[in-house]
Amino acid sequence: MEAFFKQFQKYAILRGIAYTLVGIFACVNPAFFFKAIIYFIAGYFILMGVINCLAAVRLQKETGSYGFSMATSLFFFLLAFVVLFFSKGILSIIPFFLGLLIVVNGASQLLQALNAKKGKGLWLLFSGVMIVAGLVLMFNPFKTLLVVCQVFGILLIFNGISELVNYFQLRKLYR
């Protein structure tokens, strides 16, 4: 179990910085943040489509058939199109999944706090706030996605600060 916590601690400072920076970006420019999410997802699917297409061409040169890679490639290209075409519908379900992500992260931090020998108080508070905020995002996504984005940004900043605090607490515990 201690090995797990050491591995988790190893990347805590990077997660903390990343969460804080993304949170600030989401708060400052929520409309662009949501568009960036859609384009990032579509870009990922296009990249996976290109990779599978290249694998299919390579397989065709070696064996004479494209195999399953060409079908997978077409599927990824179709997914990219669907993501871009139905982005408004996709954006409407993002608050639920962001809330779920925050709940899972808060629960993970809660488990760490309960297993820690020292410095539990602040850690328990941070994880509790994260769980409650994630549940609010999941089941009461407010009226507008921009507000949700800003709330998510604030939660990410809070989570980033929590990760940084956890990093230094864990560093003291496992020296």
Side-chain angles (χ1 to χ4, degrees), residues 30 34 91 95 137 140-151:
F34 269 122
L91 287 177
L137 254 177
N140 186 17
F142 308 106
K143 301 287 184 228
T144 173
L145 290 174
L146 296 180
V147 171
V148 170
C149 182
Q150 290 175 321
V151 168

Side-chain angles (χ1 to χ4, degrees), residues 10-118:
K10 184 177 181 181
Y11 298 108
I13 196 162
L14 294 176
R15 282 191 313 272
I17 291 168
Y19 289 158
T20 303
L21 292 176
V22 170
I24 290 169
F25 181 67
C27 285
V28 171
N29 198 345
F32 183 76
F33 180 75
F34 269 122
K35 288 179 185 176
I37 289 172
I38 293 300
Y39 289 126
F40 178 77
I41 292 169
Y44 172 77
F45 287 144
I46 290 170
L47 177 66
M48 293 305 295
V50 168
I51 289 170
N52 279 282
C53 187
L54 292 173
V57 169
R58 190 176 321 121
L59 182 66
Q60 195 274 335
K61 287 180 182 177
E62 293 173 5
T63 65
S65 79
Y66 289 106
F68 189 67
S69 294
M70 187 56 78
T72 305
S73 173
L74 294 174
F75 177 72
F76 277 121
F77 288 134
L78 179 64
L79 275 177
F81 174 76
V82 167
V83 165
L84 289 173
F85 188 71
F86 295 108
S87 63
K88 289 190 184 210
I90 292 168
L91 287 177
S92 68
I93 62 170
I94 285 178
F96 177 81
F97 289 111
L98 293 178
L100 182 63
L101 177 72
I102 291 169
V103 167
V104 168
N105 194 310
S108 170
Q109 289 187 14
L110 178 64
L111 289 174
Q112 288 178 19
L114 294 174
N115 287 322
K117 292 179 174 78
K118 298 178 185 175

